[in-house]
Amino acid sequence: MDFATRWPEAVALSNTRAKSVCQALADIFARVGWPSDILTDAGTNFLAGTMENLWEAHGINHLVATPYHHQTNGMVEKFNGTLGAMISKFVNEHSNDWDLVLQQLLFAYRAVPHPSLGFSPFELVYGREVKGPLQLVKQQWEGFTPSPGTNILDFVTNLQNTLRTSLALAKENLQDAQKQQKAWYNKHATESSFKVGDQVMVLKVLQAHKMEASWEGPFTVQEQLGAVNYLIAFPTSNRKPKVYHINSLKPFYSRELKVCQFTAQGGDDAEWPEGVYYEGKCAGGVEEVNLSMTLGCMQPQQIKELCTSYAPMVSATPGLTEWAYHSIDTGNAHPIRVQPYRVSPQAKTAIEQEIQDILQMGEIRPSGSAWASPVVLVPKPDVEIRFCMDYRKLNAVTRPDNYPMPRTDELLEKLGRAQFISTLDLTKGYWQVPLDESAKKGQPSPHISGCMNLMYSLSGCEMHPPPSKDL
């Protein structure tokens, strides 16, 4: 396609090998002349040695579009879709000979004014309107009589003036259209850039299924090739560095992993980060609930009364429920027993005290199981220490549970008229739990419905009674 006039060319080929493409382009350029610059995609048939010899022999500057960024050559990509739609309308009745009418389809496209230029490609190339079947019918209706012949010099002069005027007007129309398109595109666009060595995520072009992650990485920026193109390296795989447009990249923010110590090189407490290792369990609870300063005069008191009525649910002391159980399926895996990590005496004291507190609350019990995982202390942002378990080796042999995902379209239909929507509304919304006496009688369980009532009261929503068997 010619960028100036939007004149398209298309050739039906039995294959897209470099030799066939080279012959087709040579036939086209033999009619219209050889270009100074040509823009193609990054297909192997355009980058082969045969094509490189063709560009070099005729002094053509070969430009390659950025991979997976169709906007680089959007004009041709848009035309491909239009021509494909035209052919699809024709092949319904002529599926075996569509290639014979390809030039007629191109004739129809060239005769239509381009929306950005205001002129048809035919007018900008030949300086006159195309004489097609409809034009002939119009001339018969209007009783058209051919004008007497004109001097050849006058004809050439008028043609040049017509082309010059048409191209000037087309250029003005194109600039106006580009300004509008640019303003519309930049309305929600943000400017970004990367430096060599930055970690980035790369957008996947094709996904195996719709639930697969759309981004992969992190990868490393190896080189900046221009204002918007970057050469991305894949250090963790054997893939060669590849060029990506900035629209296919986004910065990668690594989550800082803070682990106090897995193995101790010595007994020096100076290497141990400063923090509150143990101060006993905080009483906390309703008294520590922070209320917004934007509430009305009566609302803080109402929320305090509401929280007080459900005080066990906002207690700082962890609780334990026997309403739900989770079984970890390890299949036929052999028991995994990992020895405890070496820690400093200060950390060891904190671990022993934490274990005693959890034992007194009844959340854990002594076990003689063949499975064992070590304790890990991780500092929290508030300089306290989070008591964790290293279950990585256990997770490696655990069979994951598969949960049914709700259909998005059905959820949106249900929530279409809702005034308030929370994240709970976008999930399945049902928890299978044992029933107590109140639930067996057809009433919501007070243990779960009370929590739901508290949540809905704080959000200003109404709580409708859930089914009696699925809460």
Side-chain angles (χ1 to χ4, degrees):
M1 177 173 284
D2 177 36
F3 269 51
T5 62
R6 304 302 196 264
W7 178 276
E9 293 282 356
V11 181
L13 298 176
S14 59
N15 62 77
T16 58
R17 291 193 291 266
K19 184 177 180 180
S20 302
V21 175
C22 182
Q23 183 62 47
L25 289 175
D27 294 342
I28 294 175
F29 296 151
R31 292 186 289 104
V32 301
W34 294 86
S36 300
D37 302 277
I38 187 169
L39 174 64
T40 70
D41 59 24
T44 55
N45 48 3
F46 292 115
L47 303 178
T50 303
M51 300 300 296
E52 291 182 357
N53 295 334
L54 177 67
W55 311 138
E56 184 178 356
H58 295 85
I60 299 176
N61 180 27
H62 183 208
L63 306 175
V64 181
T66 304
Y68 308 120
H69 187 71
H70 307 300
Q71 294 92 324
T72 305
N73 201 7
M75 183 171 55
V76 176
E77 297 291 349
K78 184 66 176 179
F79 168 72
N80 288 342
T82 302
L83 183 60
M86 296 171 67
I87 295 177
S88 66
K89 299 296 189 299
F90 183 81
V91 296
N92 290 334
E93 299 179 359
H94 308 274
S95 58
N96 296 326
D97 56 352
W98 63 268
D99 56 311
L100 301 179
V101 298
L102 180 60
Q103 296 304 319
Q104 282 78 358
L105 297 178
L106 291 174
F107 174 86
Y109 182 90
R110 295 163 182 162
V112 178
H114 194 276
S116 297
L117 300 178
F119 296 88
S120 66
F122 193 95
E123 289 181 88
L124 296 178
V125 172
Y126 292 102
R128 59 180 175 85
E129 292 185 359
V130 61
K131 190 176 182 181
L134 296 179
Q135 189 72 10
L136 294 175
V137 174
K138 179 182 178 182
Q139 291 178 0
Q140 284 186 339
W141 287 350
E142 295 179 350
F144 173 78
T145 55
S147 60
T150 58
N151 182 276
I152 185 63
L153 184 60
D154 294 337
F155 173 79
V156 173
T157 303
N158 293 335
L159 178 61
Q160 290 179 344
N161 293 334
T162 301
L163 288 175
R164 190 177 296 109
T165 304
S166 300
L167 289 174
L169 292 175
K171 185 176 181 180
E172 293 179 4
N173 296 337
L174 180 61
Q175 290 177 350
D176 294 339
Q178 289 177 343
K179 289 180 181 179
Q180 294 178 0
Q181 295 168 5
K182 179 180 176 62
W184 180 261
Y185 180 85
N186 292 338
K187 187 176 181 180
H188 300 289
T190 56
E191 185 177 358
S192 59
S193 62
F194 300 100
K195 299 179 181 178
V196 176
D198 288 352
Q199 298 290 307
V200 296
M201 302 291 290
V202 175
L203 179 65
K204 283 186 178 179
V205 181
L206 299 176
Q207 296 176 246
H209 49 84
K210 63 181 182 179
M211 299 302 295
E212 186 180 6
S214 302
W215 298 83
E216 58 179 345
F219 304 122
T220 306
V221 177
Q222 181 173 329
E223 184 181 356
Q224 183 174 357
L225 304 179
V228 293
N229 291 336
Y230 293 85
L231 185 64
I232 305 302
F234 309 92
T236 58
S237 64
N238 297 327
R239 297 164 58 182
K240 295 182 179 179
K242 200 169 186 180
V243 178
Y244 285 92
H245 192 273
I246 194 172
N247 288 352
S248 300
L249 305 174
K250 71 176 182 179
F252 172 76
Y253 300 101
S254 60
R255 179 179 297 174
E256 185 178 0
L257 180 61
K258 293 183 178 180
V259 179
C260 290
Q261 195 168 351
F262 277 100
T263 58
Q265 301 298 330
D268 187 6
D269 292 344
E271 299 180 359
W272 202 241
E274 296 182 358
V276 181
Y277 288 91
Y278 180 77
E279 285 188 349
K281 288 299 178 182
C282 177
V286 178
E287 297 78 7
E288 295 188 358
V289 174
N290 296 323
L291 302 180
S292 174
M293 301 299 295
T294 60
L295 297 176
C297 58
M298 297 298 297
Q299 291 176 339
Q301 183 61 29
Q302 294 175 353
I303 293 181
K304 288 183 179 180
E305 295 177 356
L306 184 64
C307 293
T308 303
S309 59
Y310 295 100
M313 298 181 183
V314 291
S315 174
T317 303
L320 179 67
T321 179
E322 297 181 356
W323 277 61
Y325 295 90
H326 174 65
S327 299
I328 301 177
D329 186 6
T330 57
N332 298 325
H334 294 286
I336 294 178
R337 185 178 184 87
V338 182
Q339 294 296 328
Y341 299 125
R342 295 183 61 186
V343 295
S344 68
Q346 184 180 4
K348 185 175 182 180
T349 303
I351 293 175
E352 294 176 351
Q353 186 64 52
E354 185 75 16
I355 293 176
Q356 292 299 323
D357 290 340
I358 302 177
L359 281 171
Q360 293 178 2
M361 287 186 285
E363 295 182 359
I364 61 175
R365 58 181 173 81
S367 172
S369 172
W371 298 76
S373 299
V375 173
V376 179
L377 297 183
V378 181
K380 297 195 295 184
D382 58 356
V383 306
E384 292 187 358
I385 299 299
R386 179 180 287 112
F387 187 87
C388 305
M389 302 295 295
D390 185 4
Y391 283 128
R392 289 178 296 177
K393 292 190 176 181
L394 174 61
N395 293 337
V397 298
T398 300
R399 294 180 179 179
D401 294 328
N402 295 322
Y403 297 96
M405 299 295 293
R407 289 183 58 88
T408 306
D409 52 354
E410 293 181 358
L411 288 175
L412 294 178
E413 291 176 1
K414 295 179 180 179
L415 304 175
R417 299 182 180 180
Q419 185 177 4
F420 299 97
I421 299 177
S422 70
T423 54
L424 289 179
D425 297 322
L426 301 178
T427 60
K428 188 73 174 178
Y430 294 104
W431 301 325
Q432 299 291 340
V433 297
L435 303 177
D436 60 1
E437 294 301 325
S438 60
K440 294 179 181 179
K441 297 178 181 178
Q443 299 295 331
S445 170
H447 298 276
I448 294 183
S449 63
C451 179
M452 298 296 289
N453 279 326
L454 171 62
M455 180 191 66
Y456 274 78
S457 299
L458 294 175
S459 62
C461 304
E462 291 185 1
M463 173 66 180
H464 296 281
S468 59
K469 294 185 178 181
D470 295 323
L471 302 180

